[in-house]
Amino acid sequence: MSTTTDPAATARPVVPPAPSPGDPALVRHARGLLGTFNTAGVLRPADVHTARAVARMAGEPDERVQLALALAVRALRNGSVCVDLAGVSSTVFDEAEEQVDLTGLPWPEPDAWAEACRASPLVSVGGGGDGSRPLRWHDGQLYLERYWQQEELVRQQLQRRFSGEGYAVDVERARAALERLFPREGLAAGEVDRQQEAAAVSLLSRVTVLAGGPGTGKTTTVARLLALLRDQPGPEPRIALAAPTGKAAARLEEAVRSATAGLGPEDRARVGDVSASTLHRLLGWQPGSRSRFRHDATNHLPHDVVIVDEMSMVSLTMMARLLEAVRPDARLVLVGDPDQLSSVEAGAVLADVARAPGEPSAPLGEELAALGLPGVADEPPPVHGVVQLTRPWRFGGSIEELARAIRASDDDAVVAVLRSGAPDVGFCELELDPETGRVPGPEDLAELADAVRGAGRAARAAAEAGQVGEALAALDQHRLLCAHRRGPYGVTRWSLEAERWLVEAVPGYGEDGEWYLGRPLLVTANDYEMGLYNGDTGVVVSTPQGVRAAFARGAEPSLVAPVRLDAVQTVHAMTVHRAQGSQFTRVSFVVPPPASPLLTRELLYTAVTRATERVLVLGTEEAVRQAVRRPALRASGLRLRLAG
């Protein structure tokens, strides 16, 4: 099974108390294995009801198969695409607010359990069948049929593109453009310029994976790639830039514009006026459907090149829809950081593709050698078009050192950096009372309180003056991040603390009604008609037309009358998941307690790398060490299946 962690690496979980008889988490009249696992807190009512209903319709009386079906449904909720029955009894299952110890439960004997599933009328075995059964057994893993079909589509599409013929290019012109666009400043003789290599691979290949952490030059590479592609003879390629969220799309557009400004006049003209959209808008959202779009396998996108940023946020379902819609002969460039948190939905597509084993592409190696890129011919060509950028350009210093130590799972190095007293990294011991959830006063959290007040004061002043751009920029001066939504370490609690600090420090703050000037906003649901998407942030400002909510949208912000807004809330703090695709000058991260199931290496890495100038980590050393040692667990067959 392809996963991102070894269950043995996780800490022993905290076992929650058994639910009371009146607990809504209990399913009345649930008997047998489903009832036992529901009572133990392993299965939720939705898991049990789904398993019972499907088994009843198919006439499947075997409790072991019903349990396997319920576990497959449950796995999706935790981000996994499938479940490995052979190892599930030793796996810590994560829930939103608790952990469950699966030992001591009446687990079926693995071999007999697997055989019962393979023989069930609910299950298709292998790659055959017509897809009419709700479950699929493949390579020792149990899938819901829909997700196996999606994984199979992604595998087939990517392997077809990996093995497809490359593109005919003007080698001399490409060589000259690569030398012009990627000057070798700071590189040793014979050292490979990974940004240059990534652009060359994108020029030659049908699929390129441009991987790298924040500040390693991914969007700079994208901007120069646009100039490189449009420098080739022939019709100008139609290029689409997209990202999973509106905020990420706005950042992509802004970053590409900024990088383009540093190019020569002719290359700037080649890039032209860029714009980026969300994936939903690119594919053509259709009212009444959450997973089907106007562009699909029968109505391909018209673009010759599709570049998708923040790929770590793209779920398996969205990846399947994207690959269906992109023309078979079009270039596809996937950009992102495989070490970040994966999508909130099922799948870890970027990590699976970027780390899939395979053989270096000999044809690609020959084409790269023909371009004469320094050092490239002396090493194996990329596997699956993956080029990893490693040189930091944005923050460097202790933030980069901290990120590197987290990626290496070196908890001693992480703690040493946090306690080093470096100007760009801080650590505040924070342990809340488990009974009362008491939050220390501002005197214990002086740096956090000052950062909250400074950003809020700047946003309020700019909003009152009608300075829309400055108000939006003030939002990004500081962001308070949490892992949980609720509880003493959650967004709700810390938002209240932040608002209290602001009311005490900023005269008139929050006193002018619901839509008070300087109010920071978070969009919590997609609104396609308004062009607002879940995760977008904005601020209430004064304009000549009256009070408006301003949202960053590339070169020009979008101004919306508050009466037209539906799903928005105040955002003094946000979850790390929602912060993906964003960058802030300063970040403060409230680390949850060691027992939190959300506490993973990817969570900590994503949180600290949102900062460009300073990050403050608030928590216990034990919790930090736990995070560094605990990688996320997402079961998927894609990584190994891509290897062939």
Side-chain angles (χ1 to χ4, degrees):
M1 180 178 72
S2 171
T3 64
T4 57
T5 189
D6 177 357
T10 61
R12 183 164 182 80
V14 175
V15 182
S20 63
D23 195 313
L26 284 179
V27 178
R28 294 183 61 188
H29 310 303
R31 300 289 184 268
L33 289 176
L34 290 178
T36 299
F37 279 73
N38 174 230
T39 301
V42 176
L43 299 177
R44 288 185 180 178
D47 309 326
V48 176
H49 290 312
T50 301
R52 292 170 67 181
V54 173
R56 183 169 57 249
M57 288 186 290
E60 174 54 82
D62 195 320
E63 291 183 7
R64 297 170 299 176
V65 178
Q66 295 176 20
L67 176 62
L69 171 55
L71 291 172
V73 175
R74 187 188 196 286
L76 288 172
R77 193 169 59 250
N78 295 321
S80 291
V81 178
C82 54
V83 63
D84 176 16
L85 299 183
V88 69
S89 63
S90 62
T91 303
V92 177
F93 271 29
D94 294 344
E95 284 290 2
E97 303 293 343
E98 65 182 24
Q99 290 183 313
V100 180
D101 188 354
L102 305 188
T103 60
L105 290 172
W107 293 97
E109 194 281 322
D111 291 340
W113 195 8
E115 186 56 38
C117 289
R118 287 194 294 266
S120 172
L122 293 175
V123 182
S124 297
V125 179
D130 58 5
S132 61
R133 300 185 180 188
L135 294 171
R136 171 79 58 164
W137 182 275
H138 191 274
D139 286 344
Q141 298 169 113
L142 188 67
Y143 295 78
L144 293 183
E145 178 67 20
R146 171 186 173 187
Y147 288 88
W148 183 84
Q149 293 286 355
Q150 290 177 0
E151 187 176 279
E152 179 70 358
L153 186 152
V154 170
R155 179 195 68 80
Q156 290 179 351
Q157 285 275 356
L158 287 177
Q159 287 185 330
R160 198 172 294 138
R161 293 169 190 269
F162 291 152
S163 60
E165 291 186 8
Y167 300 94
V169 301
D170 185 322
V171 174
E172 293 302 321
R173 189 154 183 165
R175 182 186 295 120
L178 286 165
E179 291 177 357
R180 181 180 71 251
L181 292 165
F182 296 91
R184 295 183 54 79
E185 297 173 1
L187 294 174
E191 182 181 354
V192 177
D193 183 340
R194 297 299 176 193
Q195 291 178 287
Q196 186 186 59
E197 181 188 20
V201 171
S202 302
L203 178 67
L204 298 167
S205 305
R206 294 181 183 272
V207 178
T208 304
V209 179
L210 178 54
T216 53
K218 297 189 297 294
T219 49
T220 298
T221 305
V222 168
R224 295 174 182 179
L225 171 62
L226 299 182
L228 175 66
L229 291 168
R230 288 176 170 159
D231 185 60
Q232 285 288 297
E236 184 174 287
R238 293 164 291 183
I239 300 175
L241 298 176
T245 67
K247 180 71 172 178
R251 279 200 64 249
L252 172 62
E253 182 176 318
E254 179 183 354
V256 171
R257 288 177 189 270
S258 177
T260 302
L263 301 179
E266 293 184 356
D267 286 318
R268 283 203 305 271
R270 290 187 181 99
V271 175
D273 187 24
V274 298
S275 63
S277 71
T278 63
L279 279 173
H280 284 79
R281 175 171 286 184
L282 174 69
L283 296 178
W285 168 74
Q286 295 189 105
S289 176
R290 295 181 60 189
S291 60
R292 289 292 173 181
F293 301 92
R294 182 164 54 86
H295 291 290
D296 56 19
T298 61
N299 180 30
H300 288 136
L301 290 165
H303 305 93
D304 305 298
V305 183
V306 176
I307 301 173
V308 183
D309 195 17
E310 296 294 348
M311 271 296 304
S312 63
M313 302 165 66
V314 176
S315 67
L316 178 67
T317 299
M318 180 57 79
M319 186 64 174
R321 301 290 83 83
L322 173 67
L323 288 171
E324 279 184 327
V326 175
R327 293 197 337 252
D329 61 339
R331 290 177 174 89
L332 180 62
V333 182
L334 309 177
V335 184
D337 185 352
D339 292 306
Q340 282 190 27
L341 284 168
S342 298
S343 164
V344 293
E345 299 178 45
V349 176
L350 179 64
D352 282 341
V353 177
R355 294 166 180 157
E359 294 296 324
S361 171
L364 177 59
E366 294 173 1
E367 293 171 333
L368 287 172
L371 292 175
L373 305 183
V376 170
D378 299 328
E379 58 182 32
V383 176
H384 303 322
V386 178
V387 181
Q388 179 81 38
L389 305 185
T390 57
R391 182 181 180 185
W393 294 92
R394 182 183 297 137
F395 34 63
S398 296
I399 296 180
E400 169 59 23
E401 187 179 351
L402 178 63
R404 200 164 50 241
I406 295 171
R407 287 197 304 267
S409 194
D410 188 340
D411 56 320
D412 288 335
V414 168
V415 171
V417 174
L418 289 176
R419 294 191 179 280
S420 66
D424 51 349
V425 171
F427 181 62
C428 175
E429 291 279 359
L430 173 66
E431 185 170 12
L432 305 184
D433 187 310
E435 297 296 329
T436 65
R438 187 186 72 83
V439 176
E443 67 279 1
D444 302 315
L445 302 168
E447 181 179 343
L448 172 60
D450 287 346
V452 168
R453 291 168 182 148
R457 187 180 289 112
R460 171 80 175 184
E464 290 177 329
Q467 299 169 333
V468 177
E470 288 80 354
L472 287 169
L475 284 185
D476 292 343
Q477 285 183 10
H478 174 261
R479 186 55 47 91
L480 174 57
L481 302 180
C482 304
H484 293 278
R485 291 188 297 273
R486 297 174 296 278
Y489 293 87
V491 167
T492 301
R493 178 63 181 272
W494 285 89
S495 289
L496 291 174
E497 292 295 321
E499 184 143 6
R500 180 170 63 83
W501 292 337
L502 286 166
V503 168
E504 292 173 352
V506 182
Y509 193 90
E511 295 180 1
D512 38 347
E514 177 185 5
W515 301 102
Y516 60 87
L517 298 179
R519 178 189 174 190
L521 301 174
L522 173 70
V523 178
T524 58
N526 293 335
D527 186 336
Y528 297 98
E529 293 183 3
M530 296 296 299
L532 298 176
Y533 301 93
N534 190 0
D536 285 359
T537 56
V539 61
V540 178
V541 298
S542 174
T543 74
Q545 293 74 37
V547 172
R548 292 291 184 268
F551 297 89
R553 280 293 177 271
E556 291 294 331
S558 173
L559 296 175
V560 182
V563 71
R564 302 185 65 188
L565 295 174
D566 183 19
V568 295
Q569 64 186 39
T570 304
V571 57
H572 293 299
M574 64 165 44
T575 62
V576 179
H577 259 112
R578 285 195 183 275
Q580 280 187 274
S582 300
Q583 293 290 330
F584 309 100
T585 305
R586 302 175 69 183
V587 163
S588 301
F589 174 45
V590 178
V591 184
S596 168
L598 302 185
L599 187 62
T600 64
R601 181 187 307 158
E602 289 80 2
L603 179 86
L604 181 61
Y605 173 82
T606 303
V608 303
T609 55
R610 298 309 90 203
T612 59
E613 293 186 8
R614 180 168 171 84
V615 60
L616 173 66
V617 175
L618 303 103
T620 65
E621 180 177 320
E622 180 188 3
V624 170
R625 289 183 181 275
Q626 182 75 285
V628 176
R629 294 193 297 257
R630 183 196 287 163
L633 173 63
R634 287 208 169 191
S636 163
L638 181 61
R639 188 175 306 187
L640 292 182
R641 294 175 71 202
L642 281 175

